Amino acid sequence: MPQLNHTALFSIFALLLTTSLLYASLGQAHPMSAWKWMDIVGEGGTAAMAALWALLIVSSRPGGRVTMLLAGGLVTIMLGAWADCLDEFFAIPSTQYWDNWLEALMPVGMLIVTIGLYYWRQEQVVLNEHMQKRERLFRDHRSFDRITQLADASYLYRQIRMQQENHLGDEGMLVLLDLDNFHQVNREYGQREGDRLLQAVSHLLLLNLRPQDLVCRYAGDRFAILLPDMEEIQARWTAAHLQQAIATLAHHTRDGKHRINLSARTACARADEDPEQLLAKMNARLEAPSQAAMHATPAVS
């Protein structure tokens, strides 16, 4: 169960109390015989539920535009409904219009919530695409990498062979991506920090690829990406895009004191031969620049 956001709770209580005192000080109390209980229950219940939903949202979601719109819209609805409810207890002089403005907050709040739902839907589309990519990892109940939850090398081999059998010469492209100087991260910050970095990179790769693409942790800090039905020019552009995404990744250590700036190298080839031989050749192409940079250290700020 999410932990209650006490700041939001206090703010909502303060708004309700301030509105109540405003009506009590500027209005004239209705006799109890004039109270309309159905209206009180309906309008007061709407205010209470809107307040509860707003609390649940700010207590359950990370901060951001969607959270602010949904919670803000619900609080606006709450104030409008609460003003309607207070009208049953206090009569406001007809020469004053501020109470009408308060009651008009309900449709405004509904509009704000609608805008929030629109952006929430866009957010969910991205998350659903990410989950669909993750689902591929478990659909066949196969083994997966414990740290990144990505496919392993054996599954990659099977997928390449399957594409070669099914596409009759149109096998797609394979990209091999290697993180530069990753061993220095483990050496300086420990294996747990290195594992966090691998997880961050795996998420980044998934979010920057098509749903039909397959990302595997090939070995260590090396990832393999199978790109079905893709031409070489587009595959090389994709590889460059992934390198750029990794270079701009703002990965901070768990204690927040350091930012590790990454870079990566890629090799690209058509997946049209035996996968083990193909990957051996691609590994050899990556090893040459890796040996030259063996003693370099990742930039840390």
Side-chain angles (χ1 to χ4, degrees):
M1 183 175 180
Q3 186 176 3
L4 187 64
N5 188 311
H6 292 91
T7 301
L9 177 62
F10 175 79
S11 300
I12 288 174
F13 177 78
L15 284 173
L16 294 175
L17 179 61
T18 301
T19 308
S20 302
L21 293 175
L22 183 64
Y23 271 82
S25 61
L26 299 179
Q28 183 177 358
H30 287 303
M32 189 172 180
S33 59
W35 292 359
K36 298 178 182 178
W37 288 104
M38 291 297 294
D39 289 344
I40 292 172
V41 172
E43 294 159 357
T46 299
M49 293 305 299
L52 177 60
W53 293 344
L55 280 173
L56 289 174
I57 286 174
V58 297
S59 300
S60 305
R61 287 182 49 89
R65 177 173 58 182
V66 173
T67 300
M68 292 299 295
L69 285 170
L70 293 177
L74 286 168
V75 168
T76 305
I77 292 172
M78 175 200 74
L79 285 176
W82 187 238
D84 272 341
C85 182
L86 291 174
D87 260 348
E88 305 301 326
F89 298 99
F90 303 98
I92 304 299
S94 59
T95 56
Q96 300 186 33
Y97 299 99
W98 56 267
D99 61 321
N100 296 326
W101 286 105
L102 283 177
E103 293 170 13
L105 287 176
M106 284 193 66
V108 175
M110 292 179 182
L111 176 61
I112 296 173
V113 169
T114 301
I115 296 172
L117 288 173
Y118 170 77
Y119 286 114
W120 173 79
R121 180 182 180 276
Q122 291 185 324
E123 179 185 87
Q124 287 300 120
V125 168
V126 175
L127 291 175
N128 288 341
E129 289 180 355
H130 182 72
M131 292 303 296
Q132 287 173 1
K133 294 174 184 179
R134 284 290 187 186
E135 183 184 2
R136 294 186 60 193
L137 303 177
F138 305 100
R139 190 177 300 154
D140 299 329
H141 302 286
R142 56 183 166 78
S143 60
F144 55 90
D145 178 61
R146 176 183 58 84
I147 296 172
T148 63
Q149 304 297 300
L150 295 177
D152 58 15
S154 61
Y155 183 78
L156 175 66
Y157 295 154
R158 293 199 299 271
Q159 288 299 304
I160 293 175
R161 292 189 179 101
M162 185 181 302
Q163 288 204 15
Q164 291 171 349
E165 293 172 0
N166 295 337
H167 285 69
L168 300 177
D170 187 16
E171 298 85 1
M173 300 294 296
L174 181 66
V175 173
L176 199 59
L177 183 146
D178 184 82
L179 300 179
D180 292 327
N181 310 310
F182 178 76
H183 63 283
Q184 295 287 353
V185 176
N186 282 334
R187 182 181 304 170
E188 186 167 351
Y189 301 106
Q191 185 175 348
R192 291 186 63 183
E193 195 62 56
D195 291 347
R196 288 184 68 244
L197 182 57
L198 289 174
Q199 291 165 358
V201 171
S202 68
H203 288 303
L204 185 68
L205 294 176
L206 285 167
L207 290 171
N208 281 274
L209 291 168
R210 304 173 301 174
Q212 65 266 37
D213 298 332
L214 176 66
V215 185
C216 303
R217 185 187 179 194
Y218 178 69
D221 59 344
R222 195 158 291 182
F223 296 84
I225 302 105
L226 185 60
L227 305 169
D229 301 316
M230 184 177 286
E231 297 298 328
E232 182 174 353
I233 294 178
Q234 187 179 0
R236 294 189 180 280
W237 181 91
T238 299
H241 171 73
L242 295 177
Q243 285 180 278
Q244 181 63 29
I246 289 174
T248 56
L249 175 64
H251 180 81
H252 291 83
T253 54
R254 186 182 296 272
D255 58 15
K257 295 181 179 179
H258 302 282
R259 171 178 168 175
I260 302 174
N261 298 318
L262 293 174
S263 62
R265 293 165 292 112
T266 59
C268 191
R270 181 161 296 281
D272 58 356
E273 59 180 287
D274 178 78
E276 296 188 19
Q277 295 180 4
L278 174 63
L279 281 158
K281 294 178 183 178
M282 297 177 74
N283 274 302
R285 287 163 56 186
L286 285 178
E287 288 301 329
S290 177
Q291 293 295 329
M294 178 178 295
H295 301 292
T297 304
V300 178
S301 57

